[in-house]
Each structure stands twice: as C-alpha cells, then as structure tokens.
Amino acid sequence: MPPPLVPDPATAPSTGVSNWNIANALTVLRILLVPFFGWLLLTHGGHDTAYRWGALGVFFVASVTDRIDGDLARSRGLVTDFGKIVDPIADKALMGMALVGLSLIHEVPWWITVLILIREFGVTVLRLWVLRHGVLPASRGGKAKTALQALGIGLFVMPLGGIVHVAAWCVLLVALVITVVTGVDYVFRALRLRARPVR
Ligand SMILES: O=P(O)(O)OC[C@H](O)CO
C-alpha cells in the first residue's frame, strides 16, 4: 500500500527535527494552561457563572491547540518522539484537572474520575515501559476517546442545566466506555512492542 501523502504524527517515524518547534511549543502551552483552567473552575466552589465561562474558554483553547499541534506536526514534518510522548500527557493533565475539579465540586462522581485517571496513568506507564523498544503512539481509538472526553467535560463545565446536562452525561458515559476499551487495547499493543528488540 502506498504511504499516505500526509503522515500521521503518531505513527510516522521521527524526522530528526529539533524538539524546539512550534508543534511542541503548543503542547507545552497546553500544559501551562492546566492550572489556570483549574483555578477558574474551582473559584467560589464552581458556583460563579463568569468564572465557569472563563474556565470553559480556557478549556476550549487548550483543546483546540491539541488539534492544531497535530496538524502542524503533520503538515510541517515536525514529528518528534518528544511530541509523541508529551502530547498525550498534556491531554491527560487537562482532562485529569477537569475531572478532579468537577468531582471536587460534586458534579462528576469520584468513581468515574478515578477510573479514567487509573486508565490514563496506566497508559502513560505503558508508554514508558516500552520506550526502549519503540514509541507507543496514540491510536485512533485513543484520539476518539480524548475528543469525547473533551466534549463531555466541556458540556459539564458549561454553567447550564437541562438538556446540556443530559448531553454531558451521555457523552461522558460513552467516553468512559471507550476509555476503558482503548486502555485494554494499549496493553496488547505494548506487549507486542515489548516483544521487539531494543532499539
Ligand atoms: O489514549 P491515549 O493515551 O493514546 O491519548 C490519546 C491522545 O490524547 C490523543 O491526542
């Protein structure tokens, strides 16, 4: 099969470019936005509508940079192992902060937050465990999972009730299922990678 015209940054071989590039800078920016987002979400116990909208704005910007840095890495040949490892970590930091914050203000049950955190932490450990054999890139399912988590969390952060709240629950529950299923899938991918020789 001929190679795709635009390689996927997750699976494309690293190009040898410097880690100091615009795609990785956006990833780092996303990490820096996490505490700011958390502060906005938790101010006044999450009951201040203005801060809540502010938190949603920061969450939206951070989520959009996830898309942009991937597109930039694809189109400009800026794929690096650093990006492959740190990009998912940045996503996990943002989603983790959001879920812990929403649980602290009693809007998402702790069991959901803990289950998702265990999966995300576990996949990060798997990535480090296989690193000497190769990089475990984000799978399509993993990317879909992150997009659904972002949508569900974004709906929860919106200071609106009614149908928005119902939609938030539906999306988050679907995201939860995909989170678990892709987590199991990564275990098998990691085991296959570990069977390869050390690089
Ligand atoms: O499921 P993971 O750990 O591969 O994470 C996927 C990334 O968040 C996609 O950007």
Side-chain angles (χ1 to χ4, degrees):
M1 197 169 49
L5 291 176
V6 182
D8 183 336
T11 52
S14 297
T15 51
V17 294
S18 166
N19 286 331
W20 296 95
N21 63 57
I22 181 72
N24 286 344
L26 282 176
T27 303
V28 172
L29 172 72
R30 197 151 80 253
I31 294 174
L32 295 178
L33 286 176
V34 170
F36 184 45
F37 161 73
W39 173 70
L40 287 168
L41 177 62
L42 293 173
T43 297
H44 303 147
H47 297 304
D48 190 312
T49 306
Y51 279 89
R52 245 344 233 263
W53 283 114
L56 182 69
V58 173
F59 186 78
F60 179 76
V61 169
S63 299
V64 166
T65 65
D66 182 28
R67 180 64 198 261
I68 295 175
D69 61 14
D71 287 348
L72 278 174
R74 252 194 301 270
S75 62
R76 298 194 183 181
L78 299 176
V79 177
T80 60
D81 282 353
F82 175 88
K84 288 184 201 173
I85 301 281
V86 177
D87 178 74
I89 290 177
D91 294 342
K92 291 172 194 343
L94 181 65
M95 302 307 159
M97 178 74 251
L99 287 166
V100 169
L102 287 167
S103 291
L104 283 171
I105 59 178
H106 309 293
E107 296 194 16
V108 168
W110 276 107
W111 70 265
I112 292 182
T113 294
V114 169
L115 194 57
I116 292 178
L117 288 182
I118 288 174
R119 183 277 192 198
E120 304 298 352
F121 183 73
V123 170
T124 302
V125 170
L126 278 180
R127 287 203 162 97
L128 298 177
W129 184 56
V130 300
L131 201 50
R132 284 191 329 132
H133 301 260
V135 175
L136 187 62
S139 64
R140 283 192 184 180
K143 289 179 186 174
K145 172 269 308 180
T146 301
L148 276 175
Q149 282 183 1
L151 180 61
I153 289 168
L155 290 169
F156 264 107
V157 172
M158 271 185 204
L160 301 172
I163 189 74
V164 174
H165 196 63
V166 174
W169 266 108
C170 293
V171 175
L172 191 64
L173 289 177
V174 173
L176 182 65
V177 171
I178 299 179
T179 300
V180 173
V181 170
T182 55
V184 173
D185 176 57
Y186 276 122
V187 172
F188 289 106
R189 286 170 189 256
L191 289 173
R192 282 199 295 274
L193 208 47
R194 281 284 292 198
R196 288 191 200 167
V198 172
R199 51 181 183 158

